Amino acid sequence: MMNLLCAMSTKPALTPRSRKRIVVLISGNGSNLQAIIDACAEQRIAGQIVGVISNRPAVYGLMRAELADIPTFVVDHTAFLNREQFDQALMQQIDQLRADLVVLAGFMRILTAGFVAHYHGRMINIHPSLLPAYKGTHTHERAIADGVNEHGCSVHFVTADLDSGAVIAQATVSIELSDTPEQLATRVLTQEHQLYPQVLTWFCEDRLKLEGEQAYLDQQVLEQPLRLEFS
Ligand code: GRF
């Protein structure tokens, strides 16, 4: 009787077959990777990270993956003659891992159009701004310099133009007058660590998809990015 009650009151156990195969691409610290590792371990995300690939050797994110017993790979961009060759090698590694979903988590490389097209609808990125504002780098410095009072982060499908794919969800942070870029980055990161796992949860439950250039959640077009609030 106990067992039956338990089974009825919890989600069914995830078998490897029901879990999406996630490959995470990183370039550095990997704090977003850690948030995703934790969410998979707690079965908030119906997925398993089958590999972490870094374009830079010896970054801390690789250590985080190793500590979680996740296979790690380095595809060092400096070893390739051009972007096409690097992307080709990266694609080979991802496809060997049979990824259902490619997650960019602080991956600091611009990808070629061919690479992006290959993963259309199954590659997601997090960006530290309220897109379409502040595409590119140094987002926190630029937001402070402009004197805006609202900033944050966005999770979006990746399409060929940099930081321009359909935005799925955002979380906001207020900018204080005394903020340094580092202080603001820390507060934005805290939001990223909650926002990214939430979006990946939807994807892995087949609730989120991209059709053409349009994102859908639960069959509804996302006309605007969802604004989520976290503590
Ligand atoms: C995050 O702010 C992410 O949005 C940006 O790079 C940073 C990576 O941080 N693309 P981490 O490596 O996940 O700690």
Side-chain angles (χ1 to χ4, degrees):
M1 189 51 144
M2 268 307 265
N3 281 344
L4 180 62
L5 279 177
C6 283
M8 286 165 63
S9 61
T10 54
K11 282 187 178 179
L14 291 168
T15 61
R17 266 171 160 265
S18 60
R19 287 192 201 139
K20 296 263 192 259
R21 296 175 64 84
I22 303 172
V23 171
V24 183
L25 307 190
I26 60 166
S27 298
N29 178 39
S31 66
N32 277 289
L33 165 67
Q34 188 66 59
I36 299 163
I37 290 173
D38 295 345
C40 289
E42 290 161 17
Q43 302 203 356
R44 280 182 281 135
I45 295 178
Q48 57 173 145
I49 305 176
V50 294
V52 170
I53 308 175
S54 174
N55 66 306
R56 292 203 184 111
V59 294
Y60 187 59
L62 289 168
M63 171 91 84
R64 294 179 190 271
E66 278 159 23
L67 287 171
D69 283 329
I70 297 167
T72 59
F73 307 86
V74 173
V75 183
D76 184 345
H77 65 277
T78 62
F80 296 87
L81 284 178
N82 54 42
R83 232 175 249 290
E84 283 71 23
Q85 285 182 14
F86 168 71
D87 280 10
Q88 199 58 42
L90 189 58
M91 194 187 286
Q92 250 171 33
Q93 186 58 73
I94 296 170
D95 290 351
Q96 255 173 35
L97 291 164
R98 293 182 289 116
D100 299 311
L101 172 63
V102 179
V103 171
L104 309 186
F107 183 67
M108 304 303 283
R109 296 289 300 166
I110 292 176
L111 296 161
T112 56
F115 182 97
V116 171
H118 184 72
Y119 298 107
H120 184 83
R122 53 194 182 110
M123 183 156 61
I124 294 182
N125 183 41
I126 190 156
H127 183 76
S129 78
L130 296 174
L131 289 170
Y134 307 116
K135 296 175 182 177
T137 55
H138 304 295
T139 58
H140 310 304
E141 287 88 333
R142 287 154 63 203
I144 290 173
D146 284 352
V148 295
N149 47 32
E150 195 181 49
H151 189 49
C153 50
S154 306
V155 176
H156 64 96
F157 281 105
V158 178
T159 52
D161 291 329
L162 183 68
D163 301 327
S164 295
V167 180
I168 303 154
Q170 298 179 318
T172 59
V173 162
S174 335
I175 301 185
E176 310 299 330
L177 274 177
S178 60
D179 264 338
T180 63
E182 293 71 28
Q183 287 169 331
L184 183 56
T186 303
R187 291 208 306 285
V188 172
L189 262 182
T190 304
Q191 298 294 306
E192 292 185 37
H193 299 160
Q194 300 174 80
L195 183 68
Y196 216 176
Q198 175 60 71
V199 172
L200 300 183
T201 296
W202 293 331
F203 186 93
C204 290
E205 290 174 354
D206 290 322
R207 295 174 57 190
L208 175 67
K209 64 178 179 204
L210 182 72
E211 272 181 14
E213 300 299 313
Q214 183 66 65
Y216 290 78
L217 181 66
D218 295 333
Q219 326 290 347
Q220 303 288 313
V221 177
L222 288 177
E223 304 280 6
Q224 305 278 340
L226 295 161
R227 283 279 172 110
L228 302 187
E229 280 185 29
F230 303 102
S231 51

